[in-house]
Amino acid sequence: MTTLAPASDMRNPELVKKEAVRWYVHLCSGEASQADIQALQQWRDAHADNQQAWARFEALRLSFEGMPVKVAAGTLEVASRERRRALRGAIAVLAVGATGVASYQFYVSGAMTPAIWLADYRSRVGEQRRIMLADGSLLILNTDSAVDVVFDERQRLIRLHAGEILVETSSHRGSAAGADARPLSVMTRDGQVRALGTRFTVRRFDDRSEVAVIDQAVEVTPQRSPGQRQVVTGGQRMAFNGERSFAVTSGEAQDDWTSGSLVVNDWRLGEVIAELARYRNGHMQCDPAVADIRVSGAFPVTDTDRALAVLVRSFPLRVTFLTRWWVRVGAA
């Protein structure tokens, strides 16, 4: 593998991430020579940004140590059988262009891309993180989320790679830095959400992104349709994908998760279980026979066992634990 030459002072974060991924993929392929290992060490020593990127991969590796032995062993066994094919596929995708990332399965719960592994801030399943940004804005990561934060002389940008975040701008918080003239935006693969002095949430789904405004307003621009720019105001929410924005709807923003609760009003049970599953490692499913039961109430997202117990007390349901990691909700 060819050694990558470092920049002199400050490195491009996107370039550093791609280089780190290429090194990691090459080492895991089993085809790395002793010279490659020495070249990697030279790359790491060449710049502090390189060292930081590699340290994030080490953090990913250490996260496996918290998994139950049987689950971890099964995951690694599958990885061993499929490793060469998956890794070569990852290299091919990374070579396509600047935006290419590999869908690379390390966790039984789903795929994680290099952008997520190397994100500036990440939250684990069931975890929420509060981060005070350099401009005085507040960023809260919901369960299983990942973001990059890029502040420069022109912009304040938050890239949401996975999950859900709440943003409260410095001007909304009355911060001394509230007069910051640089635009603050959240970018997803579907488009851009520009804050207009506000408090709002953004969530990524497989096929879309959704924004909900708690106070004041945001401006939403789909990635490939800049002419469909639209303002969403307090008490409104809107979904959008790369091509278009969908209809604006009224309704309170679902930000109760910031205080540890899931508050629902006339939801289908299937929807409630799917939402609670976001906060729990493993797999949680709802039997279609009970999925249409209508549910209202507040459920703790920090303790999904207790949330399930509340449902069982309120409805004719039975919760079956095949293992700690496989839960099924069905009729009693």
Side-chain angles (χ1 to χ4, degrees):
M1 185 174 178
T2 304
T3 305
L4 299 165
S8 56
D9 295 316
M10 185 174 179
R11 302 215 58 203
N12 182 309
E14 294 299 321
L15 179 61
V16 173
K17 289 181 182 181
K18 289 178 174 61
E19 291 175 0
V21 169
R22 288 175 59 194
W23 276 116
Y24 192 76
V25 165
H26 186 61
L27 290 184
C28 290
S29 70
E31 298 173 356
S33 65
Q34 186 61 39
D36 288 332
I37 296 174
Q38 293 173 353
L40 167 61
Q41 187 61 51
Q42 292 172 2
W43 176 81
R44 291 175 59 186
D45 294 341
H47 202 285
D49 291 348
N50 300 353
Q51 295 174 357
Q52 184 179 31
W54 195 256
R56 287 173 179 162
F57 275 111
E58 284 295 295
L60 176 68
R61 180 185 63 80
L62 292 173
S63 70
F64 280 107
E65 295 181 0
M67 296 177 67
V69 173
K70 290 184 178 179
V71 174
T75 303
L76 295 176
E77 182 180 352
V78 172
S80 177
R81 291 196 301 267
E82 301 294 332
R83 181 176 58 186
R84 287 183 183 273
R85 184 179 66 181
L87 290 171
R88 286 181 179 138
I91 293 170
V93 173
L94 286 168
V96 168
T99 60
V101 292
S103 178
Y104 197 165
Q105 293 192 340
F106 276 103
Y107 291 114
V108 293
S109 59
M112 293 185 66
T113 66
I116 296 175
W117 304 339
L118 298 172
D120 292 334
Y121 300 102
R122 284 178 51 197
S123 59
R124 299 184 302 274
V125 173
E127 178 189 24
Q128 293 171 358
R129 293 187 62 185
R130 298 173 66 91
I131 300 157
M132 192 64 66
L133 301 179
D135 67 335
S137 297
L138 175 65
L139 172 65
I140 306 179
L141 276 66
N142 200 0
T143 175
D144 198 18
S145 300
V147 300
D148 282 332
V149 177
V150 181
F151 281 16
D152 57 31
E153 65 277 4
R154 297 178 296 103
Q155 65 178 349
R156 296 171 291 166
L157 178 64
I158 301 168
R159 291 195 181 99
L160 177 60
H161 297 297
E164 180 178 22
I165 57 173
L166 179 142
V167 179
E168 186 172 355
T169 63
S170 55
S171 58
H172 187 275
R173 290 174 55 79
S175 166
D180 198 321
R182 297 172 299 172
L184 188 148
S185 300
V186 175
M187 181 74 72
T188 77
R189 66 183 175 192
D190 297 305
Q192 177 176 276
V193 178
R194 186 167 70 88
L196 303 176
T198 183
R199 176 180 169 93
F200 63 102
T201 65
V202 182
R203 180 173 171 181
R204 273 194 55 173
F205 293 82
D206 290 340
D207 60 348
R208 68 191 187 281
S209 297
E210 288 189 2
V211 59
V213 181
I214 302 164
D215 194 18
Q216 297 189 18
V218 301
E219 183 182 72
V220 179
T221 306
Q223 180 70 24
R224 292 178 292 278
S225 300
Q228 289 199 24
R229 186 177 292 111
Q230 190 165 349
V231 173
V232 184
T233 60
Q236 295 182 331
R237 60 175 60 243
M238 187 180 73
F240 60 99
N241 59 26
E243 307 297 337
R244 67 188 184 96
S245 301
F246 296 90
V248 173
T249 60
S250 299
E252 295 182 3
Q254 289 294 325
D255 64 331
D256 299 284
W257 55 265
T258 61
S259 57
S261 296
L262 169 64
V263 179
V264 303
N265 181 24
D266 197 33
W267 283 28
R268 295 175 59 253
L269 176 63
E271 295 172 333
V272 176
I273 297 302
E275 195 69 12
L276 290 174
R278 298 174 59 207
Y279 299 87
R280 186 185 187 96
N281 281 303
H283 179 71
M284 184 159 62
Q285 68 179 39
C286 181
D287 188 327
V290 297
D292 289 330
I293 292 175
R294 310 307 295 189
V295 179
S296 297
F299 304 91
V301 296
T302 54
D303 187 345
T304 54
D305 281 348
R306 189 155 60 92
L308 291 172
V310 172
L311 287 168
V312 169
R313 287 197 301 268
S314 305
F315 300 96
L317 300 172
R318 173 181 295 175
V319 177
T320 304
F321 294 83
L322 301 180
T323 70
R324 168 66 185 167
W325 306 86
W326 191 283
V327 181
R328 184 173 183 274
V329 180

